[in-house]
Amino acid sequence: MRRGLRILLPAAAVLAGLLMRPVAGSAAALTSDQQRCVNDVNKAASLVAKSQNKADLACLQYAARGVLTRLGVPPQAQTAQACLTNDVRGHVARQTASLQSRDLKRCQSLLPALPAFGHTDAATVDAAARAAGLDIVRGLFGSDLDAAIVSEATDSDGARCQRDVLHYTSDLFSTIWKVVLTAKKNALKGRDRRAGNGPVATAEALRDELIAAVAADGRSQIAKAAAKLRERTTQRCTGMPAPLGQVFPGTCSGAATAAALGACAEGVARGSALTALAAADALAIDCDLTDDGVANLTCESPELREHVLNRLGYGPDAWSRARIETLGVAQYIAEQLAPETIDDSALDAELVQFPSLTMSYQELRANYSNDPVPPQQGLGVIARELKQAKVLRAVMSRRQLVEVLVDFWLNHFNVAAGSSRRTKYDIGPYDRSVLRPHVLGSFEDMLVAVAKSPAMGDYLDNRRNRASAINENYAREIMELHTLSVTGPYTEHDVQELARCFTGWKENYDNPDGFEFNAAKHDQGAKTVIGVSIPANGGMQDGLTMLDVLAHHPSTAQFISRKLVMRFVSETPPQRLVDEAAGVFLGSGGDLRAVMQTILMSPEFLSAPQYRHAKVKRPLVFYASLARALGVSPAALNTNNLRNRIADMGEDLYDAGPPTGYPDVSSFWLSPGTAVKRCNDAEASSRGAYGFAFAYPIVDGTPAEIVDALAGAFFVAPPASATRTTAIAFLEALPEPNPPARVAQAAALLLSSPEFLTH
Amino acid sequence: MTCTRRQLLQSAAIGLTAFLLPPSLRRACAAGPDPVLVTIFQRGAADGLNTVVPTGDPFYYSSRPGIQVPPGTELPLDGFFGLNPAFGDLHGLYQDGDLCFLHAAGSPDPSRSHFDAQDFMDHGAPGNKSIVDGWLNRYLGVVGSNQPIAGISLANATSPQLAGAAPTLAFASISSFALTGNWAGERRAALAARYGTASDTAVGTTVLDALEVLDQVGGVDTSTSVVYPAGSALGAALKDAAALIRADIGVRVIAISIGGWDHHTNLVARLAALGAELSASLQAFRDDLGSDLGRTLTLAMTEFGRRIDENGGDGADHGHGGVMMAMGGGVTGGRVLLRNGVWPGLAPANRYIGEDLQVTTDFRDVLAEALNRHMGLAVASMGPIFPGFSASASRFPGLYA
C-alpha cells in the first residue's frame, strides 16, 4: 500500500549511506571471463526487455484501433491481454535465443567456475526481462488490458495519452537498465567505484552499487527520461473527458491529475527496473524499493516489520505484531517515539510486586537496612527488584523503545549497582528519576541529572572530589565516556581542570534529587577547560557551564549519534546516517527524540537488508524475546531465575563493572560457550522453564505442519529454508513419541536457529 | 637425540627447564607436551606501588601519607622492594623461585584511558587503533594454529587478546560447556546441519566451533585435591585452566581477566581484598599444576599503574608505570626485575610527566621473551604479533636469568 509518506532523503545521501558497508572478507571478485559472462548476458537481457516493451506497445495500439488480427495468431487468443505474451512477430523469441546462445558461449563454457554472484541462468534472466514489460503494463493498466484500453475511434486523445504514457514509461525503464548495466560493468571491474575499494566481491556489495548508481544518476540520464515522461504525460493527458483513474486503472488509478499520473508512472518504471534486476541476478532488494524504486515505506515486507520489532524492542510478541500490522511501520515507529500515548497499565499492575521501585532515597534507607530490629529486608533486595523489573519490562512493556533506550543510556552512563553500599541504595532512583525521564528528552537534562545523582557521584568518586584533594575519576569519564569520547579534543590538563569544576558536588539524601552543592568544598579559583574560561568564584555554575558546553559540542553529537546508530542500525555505522543524526543533535540542542526519529526513519534503518539480523542478541534481548515469541503469561514468569540466567550469560543487569557499561558489539556477546548456553536455554524454555507458561499454536501434526506453525508464531518473516528443512528432518528422525514433547523439541531447534540468536 | 616428557618434567621438577637444556635437546623436547602460556589481565589499572612496594625510596612514603603500606609491615623481597602483606600468598611462590615481578613495567603509550590502554595492551600495539585483533590470536596465526582448542578464553566472551582470525574458544567454565536438555544428541546433529549452511557467518563458525570440541572439553577431568579460594571467579578459572593443561588436549594459550582494580578511593582495603584473591588463586594454581608448572608460564599484566601521589578519596588516580608478574614456565623466580637493574625513582624530577612512575620495561619485551624462551618462537617471527615494534633478545627483561 502506498501511504504517501515522504521520508525520502536526497538521492546522494542514500547513496553515501549504502556504500559504507564493508565487504565480506572471504568473497572474491569475478575474473575477467566471469565479468564478460555477466555483462554479455545482461546486455542480451536488456534487448529481451526492450523487444517485450515494443511488443506491448504494439498490442496497445492495435487493440485501441480494434485490429484484433494483429493481437494473436490462432490458436492464440486475440485479446490485448493475451497479445502481451503472444509475441506475434517473434521478436522477443529471437532476443531470447540470442540470450541463450550468449549464456552458452560466455558462461556455460566457464563451468564449473560460473560467477559466484551477478549471474543466475539464461532461463531466469529471460523470464525476469520479459516480466518487466508485463509489470509496466500491469502497473499502468491493471491486470485486464482489454478492459482498460481506450478506443481510438471513440476517444483519440485518451488513446494517445495511454500510448504515450506506456511509451515513455518503457523508455524510462530502458534508461534505468542502461545505467544499471554500465554501473554493473564498472562495479565488477572496480572502475569508477565511488567507494574506491576495487571490484565488488559479493552479491550484496553489487546490489548496493547498483542501487546507488540509480540513485546517483551521475549523467542525469534517468532524470532526463523521467522529465520527458512527466512532460509528455502532462501534455497528452490533461483535460481529457474520461477520468484518469479509468484510463489508467492499475497502480496509478488514484492519480487525480496528469502531473500525479506522470510521477506515478515514473514509480512504475523505477520499480519494474529494480524488480527485474532483483529477479535476474538473484539480488535481495527490499520490496520498498522494487515497488516504486524509492525508499519511502510504500511497501512493508515482513522482513522490515520483523526488523523494526527486533530493533525497537525485545522482539515480536502478539501485541506488537498486531500493532505494526494495524499502524504500518511509520506509524508504529511514531507511536513508539510518543510512549506517553501508549497504555502500559498491564505492566504497571505487575510492577507493584516490587515496592522498592517507587521509593525515595530516604524511604529506601528506612526500609532496607539489613537491620534485625525491627526486622528489615536486606539491602540487596533493591537491586534485585530492579533487575527483575527490568526483565518484566522487557517482556511486557508496550513502550518497547523506551525500555531499549533506558538500557542504552544506563550502559552509556553506567553505574554498577553492586559497587558500593551507597549504589545499592541509589541504583533504583538512578534508573527511575535520573535516566528514564530523559531518554526521549534533552541530552543536557540527562547529563546534568547524572552529574547530580548520588549513584554516579559515588560510582565515579566525585563525592570525594574537593578543593583540597582532587579526584579526577568522574571528570575524565564525563569527557571520555559521556560526551566528547576518547578521540575528543581534550588533554590530561583539561581532565584536571574539569575535576576542579566539580569539586563540592555531592549527595544529600534529604533533597528529592539527592543532591547538594557544598560551596565550602568547591575550588573557587579560575579554570580553563577545553578552551573555555571559567571565571573565579563561579561556584556550582562552573560545572553547569561545562556540562552545557560539553552537551552541545560537535564531538558529543558525533559520539552519541554513532553509539545510537550502532545500537539501532549497524555495528559498522554508516557515516552518512551518523552525520545526519549528529546534525539533528546539534541543530535541535540535543533533542533525543528528534535524533531517534532521524535514525529510525532513515533509509539505512528501513531499507538496507544487510543490516537485518546482523546483530547477535544481548542476553536480556535473547531471554525477553524467548518469552515474547512463546507468548508467556507474565504473572507466572520467574524473573528472579531469568535475571540470574542473564547474568550467567555475562550481562548482570545494572552491574556492568567498568564505566563503559557492556560493549555493544556482537563479538562480545556470542562465543562458543554462550552459544551452547543459548541453545540449552532455548530448549529449557521450550519445556516451560523459568516460569514460562504458554500454549503452542499446534499440538500435533506432521513435522512440516509443526515446524511451519511454530515458525509462523516465532518469526514475522519466514526463516531461511535451511532452518525449516533441518527442523523438519530433525523432527522426522526424532524417536520421541509424545506429540507435545515433539512440538517442544521443534520449538527448541527453531529458537536455537541463527534467525533467533540474531536480530 | 630424544626427549621424553618424563625427562622434561623431571628437569622442571628440579628447577631446570627446557631452555636450559642444550638447543638440540630443546628442539627434540618441542615434540613433547606443548608449552602453555596463561595470561591474567588485571583490568582497571592495578596499583603497582602498593603491590611491590619500593620501601627503599623515601618518596614512596612522602607521596602516600594516607595509603602507604606501613613501613615494617611489608614482606621482604630483595631489600629494596617489599611485598604488600595482602599479597602474602605470593611471597611463598617468590621464595620458592616460581615467581618474579617486573617493576616500572607497562605500556609506553601515554593514554590514561582504561579502555584505550587495555585495547593497546590486548592488541599488543600501543597507540595503534587500527589494530583490532589480539596479540595472542596473532601468535596462534604465526604458528599456524587452526584448532580452536589451541586458544581458550575462560570467560563468556572471547578475550580481546584472543580475538581475531585464528579460531579460538571461549567458555565461562568447563562444566557449563555442554549441550543439555532432552534429545541433546539429536539436537546437536540438527544444529550442526543448520549451522553448517551458515559457515560463512560469524554466528555459524562460532556454533560449529562449539559443537566440534564439546566432547573433547567435556571429557576433561576437573577434579583436584588443591583448594582454590572460595567464591573467586579467578580461582575457578585457574582451576579449569589447570585441568585443561593437565589433560594435554592441545591448549597453547589461555586468557583470563580479573576486574575491579580501579582504586580511586579506599585503595588500601580494596587492594587488600583483590590482592588476597589473586595471590591465593595463583598459589593454588601453582600447586595444582604440579609437574605441569614447568611447561606453563603465567603472566599477569595491567593497562597502566596508578598515580604516585594519593588523591582525595584515599585512592590514587590513573598513572603510568606498574607491575607485571611471571610465574612458572621455568622463569628464574625470586627476583624483582628492573630494566638494567635501575629503579627510575619516585622523586618529582624522575617522574613521568612529573606525576607517574616511568615505564622502563615495555610490556612487549616481556611478552616477546615469553614467546621466545618459553613458547619457542623465533624473535624474527614476531613482526606480525607486535606491529611497529621490533622485538629483540637484547631487550628481554631477563625472566630467564
Side-chain angles (χ1 to χ4, degrees):
Chain A
M1 288 295 291
R2 287 165 196 264
R3 295 176 190 279
L5 279 162
R6 305 303 296 174
I7 58 148
L8 192 51
L9 292 157
V14 179
L15 149 80
L18 288 167
L19 287 180
M20 291 308 295
R21 203 178 57 82
V23 171
S26 61
L30 301 188
T31 65
S32 57
D33 281 349
Q34 290 172 330
Q35 290 180 32
R36 196 162 57 172
C37 148
V38 171
N39 291 331
D40 275 19
V41 167
N42 272 288
K43 177 84 187 154
S46 73
L47 296 177
V48 172
K50 213 168 196 164
S51 59
Q52 177 70 53
N53 284 338
K54 267 189 168 164
D56 294 344
L57 193 60
C59 292
L60 179 78
Q61 281 176 308
Y62 287 124
R65 288 179 199 152
V67 190
L68 301 185
T69 51
R70 304 299 289 269
L71 298 180
V73 181
Q76 290 176 332
Q78 290 181 327
T79 66
Q81 189 66 35
C83 174
L84 299 173
T85 48
N86 282 345
D87 189 21
V88 174
R89 299 176 66 191
H91 287 175
V92 184
R94 268 202 292 287
Q95 294 302 340
T96 295
S98 158
L99 186 155
Q100 284 164 340
S101 81
R102 293 236 195 166
D103 185 67
L104 206 59
K105 190 169 159 200
R106 297 291 193 211
C107 302
Q108 301 309 315
S109 60
L110 301 175
L111 273 169
L114 286 175
F117 59 90
H119 174 263
T120 48
D121 57 79
T124 305
V125 174
D126 182 56
R130 287 170 179 247
L134 302 178
D135 245 17
I136 293 173
V137 173
R138 189 169 48 245
L140 294 177
F141 302 109
S143 45
D144 184 354
L145 183 57
D146 296 273
I149 277 175
V150 174
S151 156
E152 254 182 46
T154 55
D155 178 3
S156 65
D157 284 353
R160 194 170 57 175
C161 159
Q162 283 191 330
R163 194 172 64 229
D164 277 13
V165 170
L166 177 60
H167 181 157
Y168 288 101
T169 303
S170 299
D171 271 6
L172 174 58
F173 169 89
S174 298
T175 305
I176 295 170
W177 257 75
K178 208 167 132 192
V179 169
V180 165
L181 290 194
T182 307
K184 197 168 185 183
K185 217 169 173 173
N186 289 336
L188 294 177
K189 198 167 183 180
R191 191 174 53 196
D192 297 341
R193 272 197 86 204
R194 281 159 296 272
N197 288 334
V200 296
T202 64
E204 292 74 25
L206 177 63
R207 171 197 61 204
D208 294 351
E209 277 291 302
L210 302 185
I211 291 173
V214 172
D217 187 21
R219 293 166 58 198
S220 302
Q221 294 156 285
I222 298 173
K224 276 179 205 152
K228 186 98 182 176
L229 166 62
R230 287 196 299 264
E231 182 191 311
R232 280 304 174 100
T233 306
T234 305
Q235 202 178 335
R236 299 291 193 212
C237 307
T238 304
M240 294 187 311
L244 275 180
Q246 273 175 35
V247 181
F248 295 94
T251 314
C252 299
S253 62
T257 64
L261 173 64
C264 179
E266 180 183 339
V268 169
R270 287 179 177 273
S272 305
L274 291 180
T275 303
L277 179 63
D281 291 353
L283 299 177
I285 302 179
D286 197 274
C287 75
D288 194 26
L289 281 177
T290 55
D291 67 345
D292 58 3
V294 180
N296 53 3
L297 288 187
T298 44
C299 176
E300 296 181 1
S301 61
E303 287 78 8
L304 171 61
R305 288 183 174 165
E306 182 165 293
H307 182 60
V308 170
L309 297 182
N310 275 341
R311 293 287 176 87
L312 267 73
Y314 292 86
D317 72 343
W319 183 83
S320 60
R321 287 176 77 139
R323 195 68 184 157
I324 203 167
E325 188 84 23
T326 307
L327 295 180
V329 163
Q331 286 308 311
Y332 182 83
I333 291 173
E335 183 175 82
Q336 288 291 315
L337 284 166
E340 62 282 359
T341 65
I342 306 172
D343 173 22
D344 223 3
S345 52
L347 170 68
D348 296 338
E350 285 293 330
L351 287 177
V352 299
Q353 65 184 290
F354 305 121
S356 71
L357 290 186
T358 55
M359 289 186 193
S360 70
Y361 288 109
Q362 289 297 27
E363 285 167 344
L364 289 168
R365 279 165 173 74
N367 285 287
Y368 302 91
S369 67
N370 291 338
D371 202 341
V373 185
Q376 289 252 336
Q377 294 215 66
L379 170 54
V381 172
I382 299 166
R384 176 175 58 69
E385 289 195 342
L386 192 61
K387 292 173 193 218
Q388 290 182 250
K390 189 174 177 91
V391 175
L392 197 62
R393 285 166 161 150
V395 174
M396 271 191 83
S397 179
R398 293 178 175 181
R399 301 170 183 176
Q400 286 274 292
L401 178 60
V402 167
E403 295 307 322
V404 174
L405 284 170
V406 168
D407 184 68
F408 172 89
W409 287 107
L410 185 86
N411 278 280
H412 181 80
F413 290 113
N414 185 54
V415 168
S419 65
S420 76
R421 188 175 166 83
R422 287 177 189 277
T423 49
K424 284 175 189 171
Y425 280 118
D426 298 340
I427 193 69
Y430 188 64
D431 177 282
R432 181 187 68 227
S433 307
V434 177
L435 299 179
R436 200 168 272 275
H438 304 297
V439 298
L440 286 169
S442 143
F443 177 73
E444 185 180 357
D445 288 352
M446 180 150 46
L447 187 67
V448 170
V450 168
K452 290 177 168 179
S453 71
M456 184 62 79
D458 186 70
Y459 176 63
L460 289 182
D461 307 314
N462 198 62
R463 60 185 298 276
R464 306 289 295 268
N465 182 26
R466 53 199 192 276
S468 59
I470 295 294
N471 189 310
E472 66 191 41
N473 197 14
Y474 175 56
R476 175 185 306 281
E477 307 303 14
I478 295 177
M479 292 194 286
E480 177 176 335
L481 299 180
H482 299 166
T483 60
L484 303 176
S485 93
V486 73
T487 59
Y490 67 93
T491 64
E492 282 298 314
H493 183 67
D494 289 322
V495 170
Q496 292 167 356
E497 289 287 278
L498 185 60
R500 294 175 61 214
C501 292
F502 283 99
T503 46
W505 287 51
K506 64 188 295 288
E507 78 287 344
N508 181 341
Y509 297 115
D510 291 331
N511 294 329
D513 62 358
F515 173 76
E516 77 169 14
F517 176 71
N518 184 341
K521 296 284 173 73
H522 186 68
D523 180 339
Q524 291 288 10
K527 297 130 191 140
T528 303
V529 192
I530 59 166
V532 177
S533 293
I534 304 284
N537 301 312
M540 188 180 158
Q541 191 56 44
D542 294 357
L544 291 175
T545 298
M546 284 316 301
L547 290 176
D548 182 31
V549 169
L550 292 169
H552 303 286
H553 196 285
S555 293
T556 303
Q558 270 285 328
F559 181 49
I560 300 296
S561 300
R562 188 179 166 82
K563 281 187 76 172
L564 285 167
V565 170
M566 282 186 70
R567 172 62 80 102
F568 286 94
V569 181
S570 170
E571 290 167 17
T572 50
Q575 191 59 40
R576 187 213 71 81
L577 179 55
V578 174
D579 289 343
E580 192 195 357
V584 170
F585 187 103
L586 286 176
S588 67
D591 179 347
L592 295 173
R593 195 186 308 256
V595 173
M596 285 311 301
Q597 157 106 10
T598 301
I599 292 170
L600 297 178
M601 294 304 282
S602 69
E604 288 86 350
F605 180 71
L606 295 171
S607 308
Q610 69 269 28
Y611 297 143
R612 296 174 191 163
H613 284 286
K615 283 175 81 89
V616 170
K617 288 177 179 174
R618 299 160 72 104
L620 173 62
V621 178
F622 176 70
Y623 286 97
S625 66
L626 271 177
R628 290 167 65 81
L630 288 165
V632 305
S633 152
L637 207 56
N638 189 338
T639 51
N640 193 35
N641 198 336
L642 279 170
R643 62 106 182 175
N644 283 324
R645 295 302 304 143
I646 292 163
D648 183 59
M649 199 91 92
E651 193 185 14
D652 195 355
L653 301 170
Y654 298 98
D655 257 319
T660 35
Y662 292 112
D664 205 2
V665 289
S666 294
S667 58
F668 180 81
W669 295 113
L670 192 72
S671 69
T674 56
V676 167
K677 285 183 183 179
R678 283 168 201 238
C679 294
N680 287 340
D681 287 336
E683 201 271 345
S685 301
S686 77
R687 289 184 286 111
Y690 319 124
F692 279 18
F694 59 92
Y696 282 115
I698 187 167
V699 291
D700 197 3
T702 66
E705 286 166 356
I706 291 171
V707 168
D708 289 342
L710 293 176
F714 300 160
F715 304 104
V716 178
S721 62
T723 293
R724 181 175 182 271
T725 52
T726 50
I728 291 172
F730 162 73
L731 213 49
E732 277 167 352
L734 192 72
E736 170 66 64
N738 176 23
R742 291 174 65 78
V743 171
Q745 283 298 310
L749 203 61
L750 290 174
L751 297 171
S752 309
S753 66
E755 290 87 344
F756 199 80
L757 298 194
T758 58
H759 71 148
Chain B
M1 187 168 300
T2 60
C3 172
T4 64
R5 177 174 178 165
R6 172 171 298 274
Q7 264 181 302
L8 190 72
L9 298 180
Q10 277 172 344
S11 63
I14 58 170
L16 293 170
T17 48
F19 86 94
L20 285 175
L21 302 170
S24 54
L25 182 56
R26 242 186 292 157
R27 274 194 298 278
C29 286
D34 291 329
V36 180
L37 183 61
V38 177
T39 63
I40 298 175
F41 203 122
Q42 298 169 267
R43 295 191 189 271
D47 181 38
L49 291 173
N50 268 27
T51 302
V52 177
V53 184
T55 56
D57 189 330
F59 287 97
Y60 168 75
Y61 295 102
S62 57
S63 305
R64 297 187 158 194
I67 64 168
Q68 62 186 237
V69 174
T73 63
E74 74 280 355
L75 304 173
L77 294 175
D78 64 356
F80 184 84
F81 293 104
L83 184 65
N84 183 334
F87 290 78
D89 286 335
L90 294 184
H91 200 241
L93 305 185
Y94 181 89
Q95 288 178 318
D96 292 345
D98 290 330
L99 172 76
C100 64
F101 298 104
L102 299 105
H103 220 314
S107 168
D109 188 84
S111 175
R112 281 179 180 165
S113 154
H114 291 297
F115 318 104
D116 270 0
Q118 286 181 25
D119 282 352
F120 292 154
M121 194 167 272
D122 284 324
H123 301 160
N128 187 343
K129 290 199 175 186
S130 67
I131 304 290
V132 295
D133 51 358
W135 70 273
L136 274 179
N137 189 283
R138 291 197 301 276
Y139 162 72
L140 292 174
V142 164
V143 300
S145 166
N146 55 8
Q147 297 301 315
I149 197 83
I152 296 182
S153 308
L154 281 168
N156 274 312
T158 301
S159 159
Q161 296 185 349
L162 273 171
T168 67
L169 295 176
F171 45 82
S173 64
I174 293 173
S175 63
S176 69
F177 193 51
L179 209 58
T180 58
N182 294 345
W183 303 109
E186 285 78 0
R187 243 171 53 246
R188 181 170 163 181
L191 289 170
R194 172 61 188 96
Y195 283 91
T197 69
S199 58
D200 57 340
T201 67
V203 176
T205 55
T206 303
V207 173
L208 292 172
D209 282 350
L211 298 178
E212 182 187 324
V213 299
L214 275 176
D215 289 336
Q216 205 175 10
V217 174
V220 169
D221 178 7
T222 57
S223 62
T224 175
S225 59
V226 173
V227 178
Y228 284 83
S232 163
L234 176 67
L238 287 171
K239 179 170 180 281
D240 275 356
L244 287 162
I245 292 165
R246 204 158 42 234
D248 198 16
I249 51 174
V251 178
R252 303 297 307 272
V253 297
I254 297 175
I256 298 171
S257 286
I258 171 171
W261 298 88
D262 191 18
H263 300 154
H264 290 271
T265 55
N266 303 328
L267 183 142
V268 171
R270 296 166 75 184
L271 188 65
L274 271 175
E277 179 185 352
L278 176 74
S279 307
S281 299
L282 277 175
Q283 186 190 37
F285 186 49
R286 192 273 310 257
D287 295 347
D288 199 9
L289 281 172
S291 60
D292 288 314
L293 180 66
R295 72 179 182 101
T296 306
L297 172 59
T298 302
L299 294 176
M301 63 199 77
T302 192
E303 66 264 33
F304 44 72
R306 306 198 75 83
R307 202 75 51 87
I308 295 171
D309 291 332
E310 67 187 39
N311 70 1
D314 302 319
D317 289 327
H318 299 182
H320 194 54
V323 164
M324 295 176 72
M325 306 179 198
M327 182 184 89
V331 299
T332 313
R335 296 175 303 151
V336 180
L337 296 172
L338 294 166
R339 177 147 184 82
N340 299 325
V342 177
W343 173 243
L346 304 182
N350 296 332
R351 297 178 177 190
Y352 177 75
I353 61 166
E355 295 176 336
D356 297 335
L357 175 61
Q358 294 180 38
V359 169
T360 53
T361 294
D362 188 317
F363 76 101
R364 291 168 296 183
D365 284 323
V366 183
L367 307 185
E369 185 173 7
L371 289 181
N372 176 247
R373 300 297 296 271
H374 182 63
M375 302 300 277
L377 182 71
V379 171
S381 304
M382 293 183 190
I385 302 174
F386 305 113
F389 178 75
S390 175
S392 161
S394 67
R395 275 203 322 277
F396 284 175
L399 298 173
Y400 299 89

